[in-house]
Amino acid sequence: MATAIAADGLSRSFGTVRAVDGVSFEVPAGEVFGLLGPNGAGKTTLIRLLAGVLLPGAGSARVLGLDPWTDGPGVRRRCGVLTETPAVYGRLTARQNLGFAAEVFGVPLPEVACRVNDLLARFSLADRADEPVGGFSKGMKQRLALARALVHDPELLFLDEPTAGLDPAASRQVHEMVGGLREEGRTVVLCTHRLVEAEALCDRVGVLAKGRLVALGTVRELSERLLADSPVALSFLDPVSDAVAGEVGAVPGVTVEERGERHLLLAAPDDEALAAAVGAAVGAGGRVVAAGRREHTLEDVYFALQEAAA
Amino acid sequence: MNWRAVRAVAAKDLLEVRKNRMATWSILGLSVFFSVGMPLLIGLLPFAAGPSGGDLGPFEQLTRLLPPGQQDLPIGSRMVVLMLGYFLAPLFLIIPLMVSSIVGAESFVGEKERGTLEGLLFLPATDLELYAGKVLAGFVPAVAAAFLNFALYAVMVNLVSAPIVGGAWFPTVPALALAAWVGPAVALLGVSASVLVSTRVETVLEANQVSGLLSLVIVALMVGQGSGLLMLSLPVLFLIGLAIYGVDVLLVRFGAAVFSRDRLMARA
Ligand SMILES: Nc1ncnc2c1ncn2[C@@H]1O[C@H](COP(=O)(O)OP(=O)(O)O)[C@@H](O)[C@H]1O
Ligand SMILES: [Mg+2]
């Protein structure tokens, strides 16, 4: 599969602040890639570097096969960018905003009106198309900004915190749109500090901390590499008796980490041990209703990484 | 150079200016004051009323500079012609200067204040195209406002003075040369200076203050040197325009050379 983005040792400082510090990674075409990190981690700066809007202090990159610093316009012509604050002109109407972008991005003249109308309809803005955008809600502005980012049918999208400040309904709309972009085969780089969002939408994530890329991979890979085995929960119909807890704890390799009213939280090295633990519980008269591993969330990974980086 | 992108940036800015009340009212106010107010005021001065006009002392001497055809008019009428056609007309250059500075001052720092600068910089236009679009955005309305105002001023001057002068007489050839040749040069001066300012300050207010100050200096120069401007010969007017265009070329080239996306983004 073709490579959409390849960054090699990218760095950029502002004064003494190393905003992006030796970042290397690749994103294959068609992937939804998450850039995670708290505020100030360097996510926005990294996007600006990749789009040739900022120059790097060191390192190199290829974006869609082009060098962003010698052919910035070429890269940007094939990228759509959703900036952190939606870059829409409040004094202009939604239609005028999209028309402007279509012109600058070189959408063929005969197609402009049609493309703009399609986007207005697709992003549910058609009935307010000729009103000044200044009066739109935050969610509507965000939809318009997303429509604007798509006006030239880009192969690659940079979405910088697309749900920041949106209410849950508007956030969900954005999530559905990102899902749509994936189905259309576009490459998406999604910056976020919302872990649930990254977990739901991204194929792989890169975690930034203080400008450095501290982890890269799928959420599962990261949790396997970084965290101890995830705990197993055994749930019972009745309150857990001492006999049940004792028998389960006696299974080789299994330790009871937490004893609740009707559940036990266990550390079990593998599924073999888990099955033995369930057998022991049943043997001791426990009526087991559920047994399963609790998967690590991205949140667990994230805090482990941030702690390591601190 | 991708002219479609340049034109789109300029057209977008023009649309924004049209919907910006502050800017449109300043421009309108300035226009009404200059093109309607001043001719009315001069036309209503006491010496314009009667043929005798009384003793105008040294001004009598100045009216000797008028073209032969207007030398035979009564002294009061000669004064009106002198004031409207020669002394005040050069002030008309304030219009292209102010309009271009008002629009130019907004160009980059205005986008920054309204949170659209980042989106602008992510457009596929080159640095030069962005800069050219912003310069064009200030230049076009400045020249348009200047020409419209010149026409309006001409109509008003003739309305006010035709009865006492005996027919329409404005614009004179030097006044036309001033409007057509020097006017656009001054518009370019205003916009190239104010766009430069706009990339280097933090707020629109600052940009307006700095470019307003620049305009004031130029206006002061014009008032000092300009009142006799239209008494000069056409070749001298041509040279003055040429000199301003020379400064324009230097300013535009300097502005384009120091314009840097990276710098703007890093300051944002
Ligand atoms: N233009 C700038 N001037 C000075 N410092 C900056 C600038 N842009 C970013 N920084 C600094 O670089 C670091 C990374 O910022 P940013 O890329 O915006 O992070 P994020 O998008 O992850 O919140 C921060 O410490 C920020 O203060
Ligand atoms: Mg950011």
Side-chain angles (χ1 to χ4, degrees):
Chain A
M1 193 177 265
T3 303
I5 297 173
D8 186 13
L10 271 187
S11 301
R12 171 73 196 232
S13 301
F14 299 103
T16 56
V17 179
R18 297 175 146 208
V20 168
D21 190 3
V23 168
S24 306
F25 66 103
E26 288 199 7
V27 177
E31 179 170 274
V32 178
F33 182 78
L35 269 179
L36 282 167
N39 290 329
K43 305 180 295 290
T44 301
T45 304
L46 185 54
I47 289 187
R48 290 173 177 174
L49 287 168
L50 292 173
V53 169
L54 281 176
L55 301 174
S60 64
R62 308 288 291 176
V63 177
L64 302 170
L66 304 171
D67 180 339
W69 305 294
T70 56
D71 194 5
V75 170
R76 292 191 292 275
R77 202 167 294 124
R78 292 163 59 191
C79 291
V81 181
L82 184 72
T83 51
E84 228 168 318
T85 36
V88 293
Y89 294 98
R91 291 187 185 124
L92 308 190
T93 66
R95 191 186 301 283
Q96 286 165 339
N97 267 288
L98 292 181
F100 164 61
E103 289 286 325
V104 182
F105 278 102
V107 173
L109 258 184
E111 286 174 33
V112 171
C114 176
R115 185 84 60 91
V116 168
N117 282 329
D118 282 354
L119 284 167
L120 286 169
R122 176 169 162 198
F123 287 88
S124 319
L125 293 164
D127 50 339
R128 308 273 303 265
D130 298 302
E131 285 175 36
V133 168
F136 282 16
S137 71
K138 210 161 178 178
M140 288 173 74
K141 280 185 189 158
Q142 192 73 329
R143 293 210 301 272
L144 178 61
L146 204 49
R148 181 186 131 132
L150 289 170
V151 78
H152 54 300
D153 199 15
E155 301 153 60
L156 171 61
L157 276 140
F158 292 106
L159 309 179
D160 198 351
E161 306 201 5
T163 58
L166 296 188
D167 63 32
S171 296
R172 173 184 262 174
Q173 278 182 329
V174 170
H175 291 165
E176 282 164 5
M177 283 162 200
V178 174
L181 298 176
R182 173 212 298 279
E183 271 158 36
E184 289 163 2
R186 298 179 211 266
T187 311
V188 178
V189 174
L190 175 79
C191 288
T192 183
H193 54 236
R194 295 170 78 159
L195 305 152
V196 184
E197 182 168 287
E199 200 160 26
L201 297 174
C202 300
D203 299 315
R204 283 191 316 146
V205 296
V207 182
L208 282 173
K210 297 185 177 148
R212 305 187 63 89
L213 191 67
V214 292
L216 184 70
T218 64
V219 174
R220 174 172 285 274
E221 280 167 7
L222 293 190
S223 61
E224 276 171 7
R225 180 141 38 92
L226 289 155
L227 298 170
D229 285 327
S230 49
V232 173
L234 281 191
S235 304
F236 299 88
L237 190 61
D238 321 297
V240 180
S241 67
D242 290 341
V244 168
E247 284 302 316
V248 170
V251 174
V254 172
T255 49
V256 176
E257 302 212 315
E258 184 187 313
R259 179 171 163 185
E261 169 76 4
R262 287 164 206 272
H263 77 269
L264 291 172
L265 220 51
L266 314 174
D270 49 34
D271 287 348
E272 198 68 45
L274 170 56
V278 172
V282 172
R287 295 199 284 168
V288 176
V289 291
R293 254 173 221 286
R294 189 175 75 75
E295 292 296 329
H296 282 302
T297 63
L298 190 48
E299 193 158 343
D300 303 329
V301 174
Y302 181 83
F303 285 118
L305 284 168
Q306 298 297 337
E307 255 165 48
Chain B
M1 192 90 152
N2 174 0
W3 283 103
R4 192 171 167 213
V6 174
R7 247 184 298 126
V9 169
K12 188 276 295 171
D13 270 24
L14 283 180
L15 206 57
E16 278 200 294
V17 170
R18 265 175 38 202
K19 298 197 176 172
N20 177 347
R21 289 225 181 84
M22 265 286 277
T24 43
W25 283 107
S26 320
I27 292 170
L28 235 83
L30 193 70
S31 304
V32 170
F33 171 75
F34 174 80
S35 304
V36 181
M38 286 208 313
L40 277 180
L41 202 70
I42 303 292
L44 296 176
L45 285 181
F47 58 73
S52 61
D55 183 18
L56 289 167
F59 289 106
E60 171 95 48
Q61 291 297 315
L62 275 175
T63 66
R64 295 283 159 238
L65 295 168
L66 289 176
Q70 293 173 332
Q71 294 279 342
D72 309 330
L73 292 170
I75 175 67
S77 310
R78 262 184 282 153
M79 278 306 295
V80 171
V81 168
L82 193 69
M83 303 268 302
L84 287 180
Y86 295 87
F87 281 10
L88 291 180
L91 288 186
F92 139 91
L93 293 176
I94 291 173
I95 296 204
L97 187 67
M98 294 302 264
V99 174
S100 61
S101 322
I102 288 172
V103 180
E106 285 265 329
S107 57
F108 288 101
V109 76
E111 298 238 13
K112 180 170 167 178
E113 262 192 13
R114 292 188 290 277
T116 52
L117 181 63
E118 188 179 5
L120 183 81
L121 298 180
F122 272 112
L123 291 175
T126 61
D127 288 9
L128 189 63
E129 285 158 4
L130 278 186
Y131 175 76
K134 292 296 191 179
V135 168
L136 198 64
F139 182 71
V140 169
V143 170
F147 287 174
L148 277 175
N149 270 285
F150 189 73
L152 189 61
Y153 183 76
V155 169
M156 285 307 297
V157 166
N158 288 322
L159 272 179
V160 165
S161 65
I164 53 174
V165 177
W169 60 277
F170 192 84
T172 59
V173 173
L176 259 180
L178 186 83
W181 173 245
V182 185
V186 168
L188 201 51
L189 190 67
V191 72
S192 52
S194 59
V195 169
L196 195 62
V197 170
S198 192
T199 58
R200 260 134 225 276
V201 294
E202 298 301 320
T203 62
V204 173
L205 194 67
E206 265 178 276
N208 278 322
Q209 282 167 347
V210 176
S211 50
L213 206 69
L214 280 179
S215 316
L216 216 65
V217 171
I218 299 173
V219 168
L221 284 175
M222 274 171 9
V223 173
Q225 308 296 310
S227 48
L229 204 60
L230 294 183
M231 298 291 185
L232 300 170
S233 62
L234 280 179
V236 175
L237 263 182
F238 174 77
L239 286 178
I240 289 174
L242 203 63
I244 302 178
Y245 279 116
V247 175
D248 290 345
V249 169
L250 290 180
L251 258 177
V252 168
R253 290 187 66 151
F254 177 72
V258 299
F259 181 89
S260 142
R261 221 184 195 93
D262 177 81
R263 211 172 148 279
L264 263 182
M265 191 79 262
R267 290 172 59 109

